[in-house]
Amino acid sequence: MAYKTISVVVTDQEADHDALMSAFNLAVAGGAHLDVHCIGIDPARFEAVPIGSAASLAVNALEDARQSAEELAAWVTALLPKDYGPLAVIPSVVPQMGIEAMVARLASYCDIVVAAKPYGPQKNPLHVTVLEAELFGSGAPVLVIPHGEVLSGEPFRQVLVAWNESSESFAAIRAALPVLKQAHRVHIVMVDPPAHSPERSDPGGAICLMLARHGVKAEVSILARTMPRISEVLTRFAIDHAIDAIVMGAYGHSRFRESILGGATRDLLEYTKIPLVMAH
């Protein structure tokens, strides 16, 4: 891929292993610089603690965070090959407050962020906080890696673009151009496009033309919402067409609304087994 600076935020060895190795493989394949940000977090902020113990835990929070960051940095240094030049391992300590702002700042200076899927085994609210800070605070696209998946660094051959004419979809497509240009085939998928859309006479035609000017081989598929959730329709299409990655805008509705009522972003982040390229 044509991304020249790749960033990954590490807060947990087990939960972030696949994202770290995927980021490294992508960097090696593309000759990119890899920034690994090792962030130590006070665990009391994200885990339940016994009543009455908060004060004593707060006293040691900063030291615990510093030790965690140093351990993560040592783990990353030992795990990644030492002969890869453009690699920076950056230990960072986060106090009890300000995690979102620090993650957003660290992730801003890159072309793409690689992150672990925030839901599933070994995950906790911290991983949701980190991913949302990357999506909403950095301005960079985020490549979400499912649990148990390590990318080889090879280009995605079959890519699905979830297109609904929204600004989030536009942002994701523009951010994912390096991915789309290397794909063998790009599927522009629309689920129940609005009947009164300006593009109703040629749904997806304008975005296909824009992509064709970049040399992207794209075709449009119009799907009916035959399942309760849009994410289920997209997932079924992805399985049927051996899709390697899904490109989509993130959180077209508010995060609160999606967390309570559900939405395509929230559903795919929880259930997908396919890498997601997301932007907001």
Side-chain angles (χ1 to χ4, degrees), residues 102-126:
M102 173 169 275
V103 170
R105 178 177 61 82
L106 292 173
S108 294
Y109 299 97
C110 70
D111 299 316
I112 191 167
V113 181
V114 180
K117 192 174 81 165
Y119 303 102
Q122 292 84 44
K123 304 299 170 64
N124 60 48
L126 167 62

Side-chain angles (χ1 to χ4, degrees), residues 13-273:
Q13 294 184 23
E14 184 171 4
D16 294 320
H17 173 272
D18 297 342
L20 172 64
M21 296 310 301
S22 295
F24 176 76
N25 291 340
L26 290 171
V28 171
H33 187 99
L34 176 62
D35 288 335
V36 184
H37 304 285
C38 303
I39 300 184
I41 306 290
D42 170 22
R45 184 179 174 193
F46 293 94
E47 298 176 1
V49 297
I51 296 175
S53 63
S56 60
L57 286 173
V59 173
N60 298 317
L62 186 60
E63 182 56 36
D64 289 345
R66 180 179 295 110
Q67 181 178 349
S68 175
E70 292 173 352
E71 290 174 353
L72 286 169
W75 171 68
V76 172
T77 302
L79 183 65
L80 299 183
K82 297 177 176 58
D83 58 353
Y84 185 70
L87 168 65
V89 179
I90 307 167
S92 307
V93 176
V94 178
Q96 243 181 325
M97 302 299 291
I99 294 169
E100 295 87 346
M102 173 169 275
V103 170
R105 178 177 61 82
L106 292 173
S108 294
Y109 299 97
C110 70
D111 299 316
I112 191 167
V113 181
V114 180
K117 192 174 81 165
Y119 303 102
Q122 292 84 44
K123 304 299 170 64
N124 60 48
L126 167 62
H127 299 101
V128 178
T129 299
V130 169
L131 179 65
E132 291 192 347
E134 293 165 341
L135 275 173
F136 288 90
S138 71
V142 179
L143 172 58
V144 181
I145 306 298
H147 182 71
E149 175 91 7
V150 175
L151 301 184
S152 66
E154 293 296 316
F156 298 121
R157 297 172 60 87
Q158 300 280 342
V159 178
L160 184 160
V161 174
W163 174 240
N164 62 1
E165 304 176 17
S166 67
S167 58
E168 291 82 11
S169 292
F170 269 118
I173 288 172
R174 291 186 177 110
L177 272 176
V179 172
L180 301 178
K181 290 167 73 172
Q182 290 189 334
H184 286 203
R185 179 174 294 180
V186 173
H187 303 265
I188 308 296
V189 176
M190 304 180 72
V191 180
D192 279 353
H196 301 291
S197 164
E199 299 184 13
R200 62 185 179 275
S201 62
D202 184 19
I207 195 67
C208 269
L209 178 60
M210 184 187 106
L211 290 174
R213 290 169 179 158
H214 288 275
V216 176
K217 303 177 183 67
E219 59 186 46
V220 178
S221 295
I222 308 299
L223 306 181
R225 187 170 176 173
T226 55
M227 300 180 183
R229 298 177 180 179
I230 290 177
S231 61
E232 294 174 322
V233 178
L234 294 174
T235 299
R236 172 52 57 190
F237 184 95
I239 293 171
D240 291 344
H241 292 79
I243 296 297
D244 300 312
I246 298 175
V247 174
M248 66 179 297
Y251 294 105
H253 301 295
S254 71
R255 284 172 284 175
F256 176 78
R257 179 179 175 185
E258 292 222 4
S259 66
I260 300 299
L261 301 178
T265 303
R266 175 65 170 76
D267 293 339
L268 282 171
L269 282 174
E270 182 166 3
Y271 298 113
T272 186
K273 297 181 181 179

